[in-house]
Amino acid sequence: MKYQKIGDIVLVKKPLSEEEIREIVKKTKCKTVALKTSQIVGEFRRPYIKILYGKETETIHKEHGCLFKLDVSKIMWSQGNIKERERMARISNENEIVVDMFAGIGYFSIPLAKYSNPKTVYAIEKNPIAYHYLCENIKLNKLKNIIPILSDNRNVNLRNIADRIIMGYIHKTHKFLPKAFEILKDKGVIHYHETVAEKVMYERPIERLKYYAKIYNYKLVDYKIFKIKKYAPGVWHVVVDAKFCAC
Ligand code: SAM
């Protein structure tokens, strides 16, 4: 039986019989079992679930030594991004200022702030519910180097400040590149996420990065593309570590 365990809550993709529910509760010692009823959708990447057992939907999930409080009926948790959360944890260093443009509940900001210990992480989140958990998670993990900002990232006044920018969003992410170049220092790295057809996986994200870099007087000096997960048949979620300098 395939299931996803987030803290002490179990999410399943297919309806279960009474017996299967009893079995899963016994095996996982979970407090709630819920069925995912649709894809994660919209700007806020909202999940939809139906409770099959129990009633509580808020939990604390532990991963790579970090605590993430969330309500699984309102906030997504992508198991497929686990390696990327781990990779981001040690990507920065004590000299950097980092801007997480799509912070959510702190998926990348929390492990990065904890293990890379940069000067500051500006964690921007537009959804007030996700922002509430972001603030809770900063407290839970006792982090002093994250500044949470409740806003659409396009309205935030941060200019020429970041050594590193995380763009962990897959819905027309390129539309946010003008803002990213406004936030980036003269030299810096953008972690640019995109969902892209396999056929053009190694070309399209780079073309988009070069296109916007040129408009904002930056040059792409180095890059590496990583596959994160298969998103749909023939479509990959990829991230490009793209290094730029102003020209
Ligand atoms: N990368 C994450 C992971 O590892 O699971 C998943 C993506 S995260 C859910 C994306 C977040 O960006 C959501 O919380 C959404 O509300 C937020 N968001 C979307 N548009 C935004 C915007 N314009 N400004 C700030 N936050 C935004």
Side-chain angles (χ1 to χ4, degrees), residues 180-199:
F181 284 113
E182 188 181 302
I183 297 171
L184 197 66
K185 279 186 181 166
D186 288 354
K187 273 185 192 167
V189 174
I190 297 180
H191 301 283
Y192 171 78
H193 291 238
E194 187 171 298
T195 44
V196 59
E198 197 162 65
K199 285 182 283 183

mmCIF file with all atom_site columns, all heavy atoms in Angstrom, residues 180-199:
data_model
loop_
_atom_site.group_PDB
_atom_site.id
_atom_site.type_symbol
_atom_site.label_atom_id
_atom_site.label_alt_id
_atom_site.label_comp_id
_atom_site.label_asym_id
_atom_site.label_entity_id
_atom_site.label_seq_id
_atom_site.pdbx_PDB_ins_code
_atom_site.Cartn_x
_atom_site.Cartn_y
_atom_site.Cartn_z
_atom_site.occupancy
_atom_site.B_iso_or_equiv
_atom_site.pdbx_formal_charge
_atom_site.auth_seq_id
_atom_site.auth_comp_id
_atom_site.auth_asym_id
_atom_site.auth_atom_id
_atom_site.pdbx_PDB_model_num
ATOM 1   N N   . ALA A 1 180 ? 14.040 38.924 -9.769  1.00 0.00 ? 180 ALA A N   1
ATOM 2   C CA  . ALA A 1 180 ? 15.250 38.261 -9.255  1.00 0.00 ? 180 ALA A CA  1
ATOM 3   C C   . ALA A 1 180 ? 16.500 39.071 -9.625  1.00 0.00 ? 180 ALA A C   1
ATOM 4   O O   . ALA A 1 180 ? 17.384 39.278 -8.785  1.00 0.00 ? 180 ALA A O   1
ATOM 5   C CB  . ALA A 1 180 ? 15.338 36.845 -9.813  1.00 0.00 ? 180 ALA A CB  1
ATOM 6   N N   . PHE A 1 181 ? 16.564 39.584 -10.870 1.00 0.00 ? 181 PHE A N   1
ATOM 7   C CA  . PHE A 1 181 ? 17.749 40.365 -11.263 1.00 0.00 ? 181 PHE A CA  1
ATOM 8   C C   . PHE A 1 181 ? 17.805 41.705 -10.537 1.00 0.00 ? 181 PHE A C   1
ATOM 9   O O   . PHE A 1 181 ? 18.886 42.244 -10.332 1.00 0.00 ? 181 PHE A O   1
ATOM 10  C CB  . PHE A 1 181 ? 17.808 40.536 -12.785 1.00 0.00 ? 181 PHE A CB  1
ATOM 11  C CG  . PHE A 1 181 ? 18.262 39.277 -13.476 1.00 0.00 ? 181 PHE A CG  1
ATOM 12  C CD1 . PHE A 1 181 ? 17.411 38.551 -14.293 1.00 0.00 ? 181 PHE A CD1 1
ATOM 13  C CD2 . PHE A 1 181 ? 19.555 38.793 -13.274 1.00 0.00 ? 181 PHE A CD2 1
ATOM 14  C CE1 . PHE A 1 181 ? 17.828 37.382 -14.899 1.00 0.00 ? 181 PHE A CE1 1
ATOM 15  C CE2 . PHE A 1 181 ? 19.989 37.619 -13.873 1.00 0.00 ? 181 PHE A CE2 1
ATOM 16  C CZ  . PHE A 1 181 ? 19.120 36.913 -14.692 1.00 0.00 ? 181 PHE A CZ  1
ATOM 17  N N   . GLU A 1 182 ? 16.661 42.210 -10.130 1.00 0.00 ? 182 GLU A N   1
ATOM 18  C CA  . GLU A 1 182 ? 16.656 43.450 -9.327  1.00 0.00 ? 182 GLU A CA  1
ATOM 19  C C   . GLU A 1 182 ? 17.247 43.176 -7.927  1.00 0.00 ? 182 GLU A C   1
ATOM 20  O O   . GLU A 1 182 ? 17.963 43.995 -7.366  1.00 0.00 ? 182 GLU A O   1
ATOM 21  C CB  . GLU A 1 182 ? 15.204 43.917 -9.197  1.00 0.00 ? 182 GLU A CB  1
ATOM 22  C CG  . GLU A 1 182 ? 15.017 45.271 -8.568  1.00 0.00 ? 182 GLU A CG  1
ATOM 23  C CD  . GLU A 1 182 ? 13.538 45.612 -8.463  1.00 0.00 ? 182 GLU A CD  1
ATOM 24  O OE1 . GLU A 1 182 ? 12.844 45.625 -9.499  1.00 0.00 ? 182 GLU A OE1 1
ATOM 25  O OE2 . GLU A 1 182 ? 13.079 45.837 -7.336  1.00 0.00 ? 182 GLU A OE2 1
ATOM 26  N N   . ILE A 1 183 ? 16.956 41.981 -7.390  1.00 0.00 ? 183 ILE A N   1
ATOM 27  C CA  . ILE A 1 183 ? 17.388 41.624 -6.026  1.00 0.00 ? 183 ILE A CA  1
ATOM 28  C C   . ILE A 1 183 ? 18.866 41.183 -6.000  1.00 0.00 ? 183 ILE A C   1
ATOM 29  O O   . ILE A 1 183 ? 19.574 41.378 -5.012  1.00 0.00 ? 183 ILE A O   1
ATOM 30  C CB  . ILE A 1 183 ? 16.492 40.479 -5.470  1.00 0.00 ? 183 ILE A CB  1
ATOM 31  C CG1 . ILE A 1 183 ? 15.026 40.940 -5.336  1.00 0.00 ? 183 ILE A CG1 1
ATOM 32  C CG2 . ILE A 1 183 ? 16.995 39.979 -4.126  1.00 0.00 ? 183 ILE A CG2 1
ATOM 33  C CD1 . ILE A 1 183 ? 14.038 39.818 -5.001  1.00 0.00 ? 183 ILE A CD1 1
ATOM 34  N N   . LEU A 1 184 ? 19.340 40.595 -7.113  1.00 0.00 ? 184 LEU A N   1
ATOM 35  C CA  . LEU A 1 184 ? 20.690 40.012 -7.162  1.00 0.00 ? 184 LEU A CA  1
ATOM 36  C C   . LEU A 1 184 ? 21.782 41.083 -7.087  1.00 0.00 ? 184 LEU A C   1
ATOM 37  O O   . LEU A 1 184 ? 21.649 42.163 -7.666  1.00 0.00 ? 184 LEU A O   1
ATOM 38  C CB  . LEU A 1 184 ? 20.840 39.223 -8.475  1.00 0.00 ? 184 LEU A CB  1
ATOM 39  C CG  . LEU A 1 184 ? 21.990 38.230 -8.564  1.00 0.00 ? 184 LEU A CG  1
ATOM 40  C CD1 . LEU A 1 184 ? 21.795 37.064 -7.589  1.00 0.00 ? 184 LEU A CD1 1
ATOM 41  C CD2 . LEU A 1 184 ? 22.111 37.673 -9.993  1.00 0.00 ? 184 LEU A CD2 1
ATOM 42  N N   . LYS A 1 185 ? 22.866 40.752 -6.363  1.00 0.00 ? 185 LYS A N   1
ATOM 43  C CA  . LYS A 1 185 ? 24.054 41.630 -6.381  1.00 0.00 ? 185 LYS A CA  1
ATOM 44  C C   . LYS A 1 185 ? 24.694 41.581 -7.772  1.00 0.00 ? 185 LYS A C   1
ATOM 45  O O   . LYS A 1 185 ? 24.251 40.840 -8.637  1.00 0.00 ? 185 LYS A O   1
ATOM 46  C CB  . LYS A 1 185 ? 25.077 41.114 -5.351  1.00 0.00 ? 185 LYS A CB  1
ATOM 47  C CG  . LYS A 1 185 ? 24.800 41.528 -3.940  1.00 0.00 ? 185 LYS A CG  1
ATOM 48  C CD  . LYS A 1 185 ? 25.960 41.075 -3.055  1.00 0.00 ? 185 LYS A CD  1
ATOM 49  C CE  . LYS A 1 185 ? 25.719 41.450 -1.611  1.00 0.00 ? 185 LYS A CE  1
ATOM 50  N NZ  . LYS A 1 185 ? 26.651 40.745 -0.708  1.00 0.00 ? 185 LYS A NZ  1
ATOM 51  N N   . ASP A 1 186 ? 25.794 42.287 -7.959  1.00 0.00 ? 186 ASP A N   1
ATOM 52  C CA  . ASP A 1 186 ? 26.446 42.288 -9.270  1.00 0.00 ? 186 ASP A CA  1
ATOM 53  C C   . ASP A 1 186 ? 26.987 40.907 -9.653  1.00 0.00 ? 186 ASP A C   1
ATOM 54  O O   . ASP A 1 186 ? 27.166 40.599 -10.822 1.00 0.00 ? 186 ASP A O   1
ATOM 55  C CB  . ASP A 1 186 ? 27.577 43.324 -9.309  1.00 0.00 ? 186 ASP A CB  1
ATOM 56  C CG  . ASP A 1 186 ? 26.999 44.731 -9.335  1.00 0.00 ? 186 ASP A CG  1
ATOM 57  O OD1 . ASP A 1 186 ? 25.759 44.866 -9.443  1.00 0.00 ? 186 ASP A OD1 1
ATOM 58  O OD2 . ASP A 1 186 ? 27.770 45.702 -9.236  1.00 0.00 ? 186 ASP A OD2 1
ATOM 59  N N   . LYS A 1 187 ? 27.262 40.115 -8.604  1.00 0.00 ? 187 LYS A N   1
ATOM 60  C CA  . LYS A 1 187 ? 27.655 38.717 -8.844  1.00 0.00 ? 187 LYS A CA  1
ATOM 61  C C   . LYS A 1 187 ? 26.784 37.858 -7.944  1.00 0.00 ? 187 LYS A C   1
ATOM 62  O O   . LYS A 1 187 ? 26.597 38.216 -6.764  1.00 0.00 ? 187 LYS A O   1
ATOM 63  C CB  . LYS A 1 187 ? 29.107 38.488 -8.399  1.00 0.00 ? 187 LYS A CB  1
ATOM 64  C CG  . LYS A 1 187 ? 30.140 38.792 -9.411  1.00 0.00 ? 187 LYS A CG  1
ATOM 65  C CD  . LYS A 1 187 ? 31.490 38.388 -8.838  1.00 0.00 ? 187 LYS A CD  1
ATOM 66  C CE  . LYS A 1 187 ? 32.598 38.933 -9.705  1.00 0.00 ? 187 LYS A CE  1
ATOM 67  N NZ  . LYS A 1 187 ? 33.894 38.823 -9.028  1.00 0.00 ? 187 LYS A NZ  1
ATOM 68  N N   . GLY A 1 188 ? 26.298 36.745 -8.446  1.00 0.00 ? 188 GLY A N   1
ATOM 69  C CA  . GLY A 1 188 ? 25.487 35.888 -7.576  1.00 0.00 ? 188 GLY A CA  1
ATOM 70  C C   . GLY A 1 188 ? 24.902 34.698 -8.294  1.00 0.00 ? 188 GLY A C   1
ATOM 71  O O   . GLY A 1 188 ? 25.086 34.530 -9.509  1.00 0.00 ? 188 GLY A O   1
ATOM 72  N N   . VAL A 1 189 ? 24.201 33.881 -7.522  1.00 0.00 ? 189 VAL A N   1
ATOM 73  C CA  . VAL A 1 189 ? 23.640 32.632 -8.048  1.00 0.00 ? 189 VAL A CA  1
ATOM 74  C C   . VAL A 1 189 ? 22.120 32.644 -7.909  1.00 0.00 ? 189 VAL A C   1
ATOM 75  O O   . VAL A 1 189 ? 21.591 33.063 -6.876  1.00 0.00 ? 189 VAL A O   1
ATOM 76  C CB  . VAL A 1 189 ? 24.219 31.417 -7.272  1.00 0.00 ? 189 VAL A CB  1
ATOM 77  C CG1 . VAL A 1 189 ? 23.543 30.120 -7.700  1.00 0.00 ? 189 VAL A CG1 1
ATOM 78  C CG2 . VAL A 1 189 ? 25.722 31.316 -7.454  1.00 0.00 ? 189 VAL A CG2 1
ATOM 79  N N   . ILE A 1 190 ? 21.445 32.184 -8.959  1.00 0.00 ? 190 ILE A N   1
ATOM 80  C CA  . ILE A 1 190 ? 19.995 31.989 -8.890  1.00 0.00 ? 190 ILE A CA  1
ATOM 81  C C   . ILE A 1 190 ? 19.718 30.488 -9.047  1.00 0.00 ? 190 ILE A C   1
ATOM 82  O O   . ILE A 1 190 ? 20.207 29.854 -9.984  1.00 0.00 ? 190 ILE A O   1
ATOM 83  C CB  . ILE A 1 190 ? 19.255 32.778 -9.998  1.00 0.00 ? 190 ILE A CB  1
ATOM 84  C CG1 . ILE A 1 190 ? 19.465 34.290 -9.823  1.00 0.00 ? 190 ILE A CG1 1
ATOM 85  C CG2 . ILE A 1 190 ? 17.758 32.454 -9.981  1.00 0.00 ? 190 ILE A CG2 1
ATOM 86  C CD1 . ILE A 1 190 ? 18.767 35.161 -10.876 1.00 0.00 ? 190 ILE A CD1 1
ATOM 87  N N   . HIS A 1 191 ? 18.943 29.944 -8.091  1.00 0.00 ? 191 HIS A N   1
ATOM 88  C CA  . HIS A 1 191 ? 18.483 28.553 -8.209  1.00 0.00 ? 191 HIS A CA  1
ATOM 89  C C   . HIS A 1 191 ? 17.098 28.625 -8.837  1.00 0.00 ? 191 HIS A C   1
ATOM 90  O O   . HIS A 1 191 ? 16.120 28.947 -8.163  1.00 0.00 ? 191 HIS A O   1
ATOM 91  C CB  . HIS A 1 191 ? 18.445 27.869 -6.841  1.00 0.00 ? 191 HIS A CB  1
ATOM 92  C CG  . HIS A 1 191 ? 19.786 27.856 -6.171  1.00 0.00 ? 191 HIS A CG  1
ATOM 93  N ND1 . HIS A 1 191 ? 20.780 26.984 -6.535  1.00 0.00 ? 191 HIS A ND1 1
ATOM 94  C CD2 . HIS A 1 191 ? 20.299 28.640 -5.185  1.00 0.00 ? 191 HIS A CD2 1
ATOM 95  C CE1 . HIS A 1 191 ? 21.861 27.224 -5.797  1.00 0.00 ? 191 HIS A CE1 1
ATOM 96  N NE2 . HIS A 1 191 ? 21.592 28.223 -4.981  1.00 0.00 ? 191 HIS A NE2 1
ATOM 97  N N   . TYR A 1 192 ? 17.062 28.374 -10.136 1.00 0.00 ? 192 TYR A N   1
ATOM 98  C CA  . TYR A 1 192 ? 15.867 28.614 -10.940 1.00 0.00 ? 192 TYR A CA  1
ATOM 99  C C   . TYR A 1 192 ? 15.145 27.292 -11.237 1.00 0.00 ? 192 TYR A C   1
ATOM 100 O O   . TYR A 1 192 ? 15.696 26.412 -11.902 1.00 0.00 ? 192 TYR A O   1
ATOM 101 C CB  . TYR A 1 192 ? 16.312 29.306 -12.244 1.00 0.00 ? 192 TYR A CB  1
ATOM 102 C CG  . TYR A 1 192 ? 15.230 29.423 -13.268 1.00 0.00 ? 192 TYR A CG  1
ATOM 103 C CD1 . TYR A 1 192 ? 14.247 30.399 -13.156 1.00 0.00 ? 192 TYR A CD1 1
ATOM 104 C CD2 . TYR A 1 192 ? 15.190 28.563 -14.367 1.00 0.00 ? 192 TYR A CD2 1
ATOM 105 C CE1 . TYR A 1 192 ? 13.241 30.499 -14.110 1.00 0.00 ? 192 TYR A CE1 1
ATOM 106 C CE2 . TYR A 1 192 ? 14.202 28.663 -15.328 1.00 0.00 ? 192 TYR A CE2 1
ATOM 107 C CZ  . TYR A 1 192 ? 13.227 29.632 -15.181 1.00 0.00 ? 192 TYR A CZ  1
ATOM 108 O OH  . TYR A 1 192 ? 12.233 29.738 -16.126 1.00 0.00 ? 192 TYR A OH  1
ATOM 109 N N   . HIS A 1 193 ? 13.912 27.166 -10.722 1.00 0.00 ? 193 HIS A N   1
ATOM 110 C CA  . HIS A 1 193 ? 13.127 25.939 -10.929 1.00 0.00 ? 193 HIS A CA  1
ATOM 111 C C   . HIS A 1 193 ? 12.181 26.103 -12.125 1.00 0.00 ? 193 HIS A C   1
ATOM 112 O O   . HIS A 1 193 ? 11.677 27.202 -12.380 1.00 0.00 ? 193 HIS A O   1
ATOM 113 C CB  . HIS A 1 193 ? 12.278 25.625 -9.693  1.00 0.00 ? 193 HIS A CB  1
ATOM 114 C CG  . HIS A 1 193 ? 13.073 25.217 -8.497  1.00 0.00 ? 193 HIS A CG  1
ATOM 115 N ND1 . HIS A 1 193 ? 12.885 24.015 -7.853  1.00 0.00 ? 193 HIS A ND1 1
ATOM 116 C CD2 . HIS A 1 193 ? 14.054 25.858 -7.806  1.00 0.00 ? 193 HIS A CD2 1
ATOM 117 C CE1 . HIS A 1 193 ? 13.717 23.929 -6.828  1.00 0.00 ? 193 HIS A CE1 1
ATOM 118 N NE2 . HIS A 1 193 ? 14.431 25.042 -6.777  1.00 0.00 ? 193 HIS A NE2 1
ATOM 119 N N   . GLU A 1 194 ? 11.928 24.994 -12.791 1.00 0.00 ? 194 GLU A N   1
ATOM 120 C CA  . GLU A 1 194 ? 11.009 25.045 -13.926 1.00 0.00 ? 194 GLU A CA  1
ATOM 121 C C   . GLU A 1 194 ? 10.478 23.628 -14.180 1.00 0.00 ? 194 GLU A C   1
ATOM 122 O O   . GLU A 1 194 ? 11.179 22.654 -13.932 1.00 0.00 ? 194 GLU A O   1
ATOM 123 C CB  . GLU A 1 194 ? 11.790 25.553 -15.150 1.00 0.00 ? 194 GLU A CB  1
ATOM 124 C CG  . GLU A 1 194 ? 10.944 25.818 -16.349 1.00 0.00 ? 194 GLU A CG  1
ATOM 125 C CD  . GLU A 1 194 ? 11.717 26.522 -17.480 1.00 0.00 ? 194 GLU A CD  1
ATOM 126 O OE1 . GLU A 1 194 ? 12.212 27.643 -17.302 1.00 0.00 ? 194 GLU A OE1 1
ATOM 127 O OE2 . GLU A 1 194 ? 11.796 25.924 -18.561 1.00 0.00 ? 194 GLU A OE2 1
ATOM 128 N N   . THR A 1 195 ? 9.242  23.527 -14.690 1.00 0.00 ? 195 THR A N   1
ATOM 129 C CA  . THR A 1 195 ? 8.789  22.226 -15.215 1.00 0.00 ? 195 THR A CA  1
ATOM 130 C C   . THR A 1 195 ? 8.902  22.318 -16.726 1.00 0.00 ? 195 THR A C   1
ATOM 131 O O   . THR A 1 195 ? 8.448  23.297 -17.332 1.00 0.00 ? 195 THR A O   1
ATOM 132 C CB  . THR A 1 195 ? 7.338  21.907 -14.806 1.00 0.00 ? 195 THR A CB  1
ATOM 133 O OG1 . THR A 1 195 ? 6.531  23.048 -14.982 1.00 0.00 ? 195 THR A OG1 1
ATOM 134 C CG2 . THR A 1 195 ? 7.250  21.430 -13.371 1.00 0.00 ? 195 THR A CG2 1
ATOM 135 N N   . VAL A 1 196 ? 9.508  21.294 -17.315 1.00 0.00 ? 196 VAL A N   1
ATOM 136 C CA  . VAL A 1 196 ? 9.867  21.408 -18.732 1.00 0.00 ? 196 VAL A CA  1
ATOM 137 C C   . VAL A 1 196 ? 9.806  20.036 -19.422 1.00 0.00 ? 196 VAL A C   1
ATOM 138 O O   . VAL A 1 196 ? 10.109 19.013 -18.801 1.00 0.00 ? 196 VAL A O   1
ATOM 139 C CB  . VAL A 1 196 ? 11.274 22.077 -18.856 1.00 0.00 ? 196 VAL A CB  1
ATOM 140 C CG1 . VAL A 1 196 ? 12.354 21.293 -18.128 1.00 0.00 ? 196 VAL A CG1 1
ATOM 141 C CG2 . VAL A 1 196 ? 11.671 22.315 -20.296 1.00 0.00 ? 196 VAL A CG2 1
ATOM 142 N N   . ALA A 1 197 ? 9.392  20.047 -20.689 1.00 0.00 ? 197 ALA A N   1
ATOM 143 C CA  . ALA A 1 197 ? 9.330  18.799 -21.466 1.00 0.00 ? 197 ALA A CA  1
ATOM 144 C C   . ALA A 1 197 ? 10.740 18.217 -21.593 1.00 0.00 ? 197 ALA A C   1
ATOM 145 O O   . ALA A 1 197 ? 11.706 18.954 -21.805 1.00 0.00 ? 197 ALA A O   1
ATOM 146 C CB  . ALA A 1 197 ? 8.749  19.083 -22.844 1.00 0.00 ? 197 ALA A CB  1
ATOM 147 N N   . GLU A 1 198 ? 10.807 16.889 -21.452 1.00 0.00 ? 198 GLU A N   1
ATOM 148 C CA  . GLU A 1 198 ? 12.092 16.184 -21.475 1.00 0.00 ? 198 GLU A CA  1
ATOM 149 C C   . GLU A 1 198 ? 12.949 16.578 -22.693 1.00 0.00 ? 198 GLU A C   1
ATOM 150 O O   . GLU A 1 198 ? 14.150 16.777 -22.582 1.00 0.00 ? 198 GLU A O   1
ATOM 151 C CB  . GLU A 1 198 ? 11.805 14.683 -21.496 1.00 0.00 ? 198 GLU A CB  1
ATOM 152 C CG  . GLU A 1 198 ? 12.973 13.830 -21.110 1.00 0.00 ? 198 GLU A CG  1
ATOM 153 C CD  . GLU A 1 198 ? 12.514 12.434 -20.725 1.00 0.00 ? 198 GLU A CD  1
ATOM 154 O OE1 . GLU A 1 198 ? 12.001 11.731 -21.622 1.00 0.00 ? 198 GLU A OE1 1
ATOM 155 O OE2 . GLU A 1 198 ? 12.659 12.068 -19.562 1.00 0.00 ? 198 GLU A OE2 1
ATOM 156 N N   . LYS A 1 199 ? 12.276 16.722 -23.848 1.00 0.00 ? 199 LYS A N   1
ATOM 157 C CA  . LYS A 1 199 ? 12.980 17.008 -25.121 1.00 0.00 ? 199 LYS A CA  1
ATOM 158 C C   . LYS A 1 199 ? 13.801 18.293 -25.059 1.00 0.00 ? 199 LYS A C   1
ATOM 159 O O   . LYS A 1 199 ? 14.818 18.426 -25.709 1.00 0.00 ? 199 LYS A O   1
ATOM 160 C CB  . LYS A 1 199 ? 11.959 17.159 -26.272 1.00 0.00 ? 199 LYS A CB  1
ATOM 161 C CG  . LYS A 1 199 ? 11.361 15.875 -26.758 1.00 0.00 ? 199 LYS A CG  1
ATOM 162 C CD  . LYS A 1 199 ? 10.423 16.146 -27.918 1.00 0.00 ? 199 LYS A CD  1
ATOM 163 C CE  . LYS A 1 199 ? 9.117  16.703 -27.365 1.00 0.00 ? 199 LYS A CE  1
ATOM 164 N NZ  . LYS A 1 199 ? 8.059  16.973 -28.289 1.00 0.00 ? 199 LYS A NZ  1
#
